[in-house]
Amino acid sequence: MRVLLTGAAGFIGSQVRRVLANAGHEVVAVDLMLAAAHGPAAPPPVGVERVDVRNPAALDDRLTGIDVVCHQAAVVGAGVSAQDAPAYASHNDLGTAVLLAAMSRAGCRRMVLASSMVVYGEGCYRAADSTSRVPAPRSRDELERGFFEHRDLHSGEPLGWAPVGEDTPVRPRSLYAASKVAQEHYAAAWATATDSAVTALRYHNVYGDDMPRDTPYSGVTALFRSALAAGVPPQVFEDGGQMRDFVHVRDVAAANLAAVERPLPGFVALNIASGQPISIGAVATLLAAAHLGPAPVITGKFRPGDVRHVVASPDRARELLDFTAAIGPEPGLTEFARAPLRAVGGAGAPTW
């Protein structure tokens, strides 16, 4: 197939480009090459054109004959500052809307959209009797006293976590998450209006070679890695018991290939995850041991907006795409402990 790949020079996009080309697809690769993601005045890699997805004319020129668009381009991050909101709205939401309109003009009716687990906000929780619960926000008073779990409003007992399925209501809790929900909503409405197809891949915590380092937007694995490279113990927030799903970037690329090659009707959202939950504290310990660095420090610090547990159910991706992650957290993180990182951007800078 002929595939238009946006964000093709980024951490995930470059891996997706490689697997698509290796599978025999013709890739039209574009990237805006934002300085925050690639460094000041960085030229596009060979075979990648500098294109802004908010530019309709540039898209019209490159959508001719395209069978499917693989849309990776986005400003990403935790939404740590209200000042990030315009960039998210412009690059993520306006960019997606302009791209969808251009696809309609070109007669291209299939998109694979890079989404994120952040659309869920909090994960799923259950009481001791296995009844589902929607927890209230954690109080600052309890966080300051070192009690980090959500409590059952009926019994006062700690709630346990449960895997998040794709039918879980979206409850964005950050500005970035709000922009990813908006991307999904634009794409779903477009699919209905044009009788088209969108597969939205909700990436969980992605890590791997060429991950951006040293920014709040890089992900906790890169922050731990950067600390170890500097000979500093990784700083683990709360009690380290936060549960997450970490998925290797090579598996994320494989999921994109599967989505490109296996059309699904209408709008379909899929968790892209390893299916092997692990705590943040265990991640720090694995990385420190593999790096032969100092043991992590459990700080007890917290950020009031952080979610406690988000763990994915990968069942639907396995059923619909025949996709199963090949790299578990222990071998993947052990390899990542000495993998190269991308030294671009600066603290607080959004990255692609």
Side-chain angles (χ1 to χ4, degrees):
M1 284 179 284
R2 185 172 164 84
V3 183
L4 175 64
L5 173 63
T6 70
F11 166 49
I12 294 173
S14 58
Q15 296 275 356
V16 174
R17 181 187 176 205
R18 187 175 302 115
V19 299
L20 288 173
N22 288 345
H25 301 295
E26 180 185 354
V27 181
V28 178
V30 301
D31 198 297
L32 183 55
M33 302 300 296
L34 286 179
H38 302 282
V46 174
V48 177
E49 294 183 277
R50 189 189 301 271
V51 170
D52 189 337
V53 295
R54 298 167 298 177
N55 181 340
L59 294 175
D60 289 341
D61 290 343
R62 289 161 180 84
L63 277 165
T64 302
I66 293 294
D67 298 299
V68 56
V69 172
C70 193
H71 185 32
Q72 305 295 316
V75 172
V76 306
V80 295
S81 169
Q83 301 310 307
D84 295 333
Y88 293 140
S90 179
H91 290 282
N92 299 359
D93 303 333
L94 175 61
T96 298
V98 172
L99 176 57
L100 291 168
M103 290 173 66
S104 291
R105 291 193 297 275
C108 180
R109 294 290 183 262
R110 285 191 58 216
M111 172 182 278
V112 176
L113 172 66
S115 188
S116 170
M117 46 77 75
V118 298
V119 300
Y120 298 119
E122 285 286 354
C124 290
Y125 294 85
R126 297 194 185 279
D129 63 359
S130 297
T131 306
S132 295
R133 292 282 191 268
V134 177
R138 297 182 292 174
S139 73
R140 177 176 286 274
D141 177 65
E142 288 202 326
L143 292 171
E144 288 176 344
R145 289 189 288 112
F147 190 89
F148 300 112
E149 298 291 353
H150 286 285
R151 290 188 185 272
D152 187 340
L153 295 178
H154 301 286
S155 69
E157 295 298 314
L159 294 173
W161 58 266
V164 178
E166 290 86 351
D167 295 330
T168 302
V170 294
R171 297 186 178 95
R173 293 190 51 183
S174 71
L175 296 166
Y176 170 60
S179 77
K180 299 307 287 185
V181 170
Q183 279 187 298
E184 286 197 9
H185 285 174
Y186 274 113
W190 172 83
T192 298
T194 62
D195 193 25
S196 299
V198 176
T199 301
L201 304 180
R202 291 174 176 169
Y203 305 154
H204 283 251
N205 295 264
V206 186
Y207 69 97
D209 297 7
D210 206 31
M211 192 175 189
R213 70 166 80 211
D214 293 334
T215 90
Y217 302 85
S218 298
V220 68
T221 50
L223 296 176
F224 289 164
R225 263 293 316 278
S226 297
L228 289 164
V232 176
Q235 303 292 297
V236 180
F237 276 26
E238 300 189 11
D239 59 358
Q242 310 94 302
M243 297 299 294
R244 296 289 189 272
D245 191 299
F246 287 81
V247 59
H248 199 282
V249 68
R250 293 198 296 271
D251 280 326
V252 171
N256 276 274
L257 175 63
V260 164
E261 294 185 338
R262 188 175 292 224
L264 300 174
F267 177 88
V268 179
L270 300 172
N271 286 325
I272 302 302
S274 72
Q276 300 181 47
I278 186 171
S279 71
I280 297 295
V283 169
T285 299
L286 268 173
L287 290 173
H291 200 274
L292 303 178
V297 174
I298 306 298
T299 66
K301 295 179 181 178
F302 62 88
R303 290 174 295 203
D306 281 355
V307 301
R308 179 60 178 174
H309 305 297
V310 185
V311 171
S313 168
D315 294 346
R316 188 173 291 179
R318 182 175 61 250
E319 294 166 3
L320 297 183
L321 291 185
D322 195 26
F323 166 77
T324 301
I327 304 170
E330 185 166 352
L333 289 164
T334 299
E335 173 192 313
F336 177 66
R338 295 190 176 278
L341 296 182
R342 180 183 301 198
V344 294
T351 62
W352 288 90

